[in-house]
């Protein structure tokens, strides 16, 4: 074949390829986001994570929210762990005293994204964890909000990793 013919064939073959960033397979247009089960004693986490997922996930993935009975896909999970630590501290003015400079909230979840049309797991992570920091003078909610925001972003990233 001539050079021109090869180039024309390659160009034609390339025209059939399309890429849709951050989208599900074509048959998935709706998603149901269930409140996560919660194995911790921090019951507010269920609502806070659920609200952030509802606010962020559909827009980021190019789908709309739907009820579980009519959705094409399902996001479900479990909050496995919630911890607070003080990773940044220094010795205090008096002997044996510690001055905490920064605190950290850690959240660990198990999450899965299920294609309800084809009945298969599109993505899952059994040990997804994030941390949020806050200064000693700030409230724990500052660190928790940061950890939840990062958690939802990691779920978005994971869901998009196959597409």
């Amino acid at each position: 074949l001539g050079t021109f013919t090869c180039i024309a064939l390659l160009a034609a073959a390339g025209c059939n390829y399309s890429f849709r960033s951050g989208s599900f397979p074509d048959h998935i247009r709706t998603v149901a986001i269930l409140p996560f089960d919660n194995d911790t004693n921090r019951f507010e986490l269920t609502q806070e994570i659920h609200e952030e997922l509802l606010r962020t996930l559909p827009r980021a993935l190019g789908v709309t929210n739907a009820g579980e009975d009519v959705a094409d896909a399902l996001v479900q999970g479990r909050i496995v762990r919630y911890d607070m630590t003080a990773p940044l501290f220094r010795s205090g003015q008096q002997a044996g005293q510690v001055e905490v400079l920064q605190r950290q909230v850690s959240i660990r979840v198990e999450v899965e994204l299920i294609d309800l049309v084809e009945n298969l797991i599109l993505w899952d992570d059994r040990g997804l964890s994030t941390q949020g920091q806050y200064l000693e003078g700030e409230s724990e909610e500052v660190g928790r909000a940061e950890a939840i925001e990062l958690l939802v972003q990691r779920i978005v990233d994971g869901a998009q990793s196959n597409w």
Side-chain angles (χ1 to χ4, degrees):
L1 293 174
T3 305
F4 177 75
T5 306
C6 287
I7 292 172
L9 286 173
L10 287 172
C15 291
N16 292 330
Y17 176 77
S18 66
F19 179 73
R20 289 176 34 191
S21 176
S23 64
F24 287 115
D26 288 337
H27 67 276
I28 297 179
R29 304 220 183 270
T30 59
V31 63
I33 302 169
L34 301 183
F36 283 15
D37 294 332
N38 189 345
D39 295 343
T40 74
N41 63 354
R42 304 304 297 259
F43 302 111
E44 69 275 10
L45 286 174
T46 301
Q47 181 177 351
E48 291 172 358
I49 291 172
H50 188 243
E51 287 174 358
E52 186 66 23
L53 281 167
L54 287 172
R55 186 173 29 256
T56 305
L57 194 65
R59 179 179 38 82
L61 298 178
V63 296
T64 57
N65 284 324
E68 184 179 0
D69 55 334
V70 296
D72 301 321
L74 173 74
V75 174
Q76 62 185 8
R78 174 179 304 281
I79 305 163
V80 178
R81 190 171 188 153
Y82 181 88
D83 294 312
M84 289 188 343
T85 58
L88 188 58
F89 56 89
R90 66 179 174 208
S91 296
Q93 299 292 338
Q94 298 174 333
Q97 186 182 31
V98 174
E99 183 182 351
V100 175
L101 302 174
Q102 186 180 47
R103 296 188 183 271
Q104 178 173 284
V105 170
S106 299
I107 301 173
R108 186 170 148 248
V109 300
E110 298 174 349
V111 62
E112 60 185 2
L113 170 62
I114 302 169
D115 180 338
L116 297 174
V117 175
E118 296 186 6
N119 198 27
L120 59 94
I121 296 174
L122 295 172
W123 175 78
D124 71 337
D125 192 327
R126 299 289 172 203
L128 181 59
S129 65
T130 59
Q131 294 79 36
Q133 283 81 28
Y134 62 103
L135 299 175
E136 180 58 24
E138 296 176 322
S139 71
E140 175 187 342
E141 287 78 19
V142 171
R144 188 170 62 238
E146 179 183 350
I148 290 170
E149 185 178 316
L150 292 169
L151 181 76
V152 170
Q153 185 57 53
R154 300 260 320 266
I155 292 170
V156 168
D157 293 346
Q160 291 177 336
S161 66
N162 292 329
W163 317 115

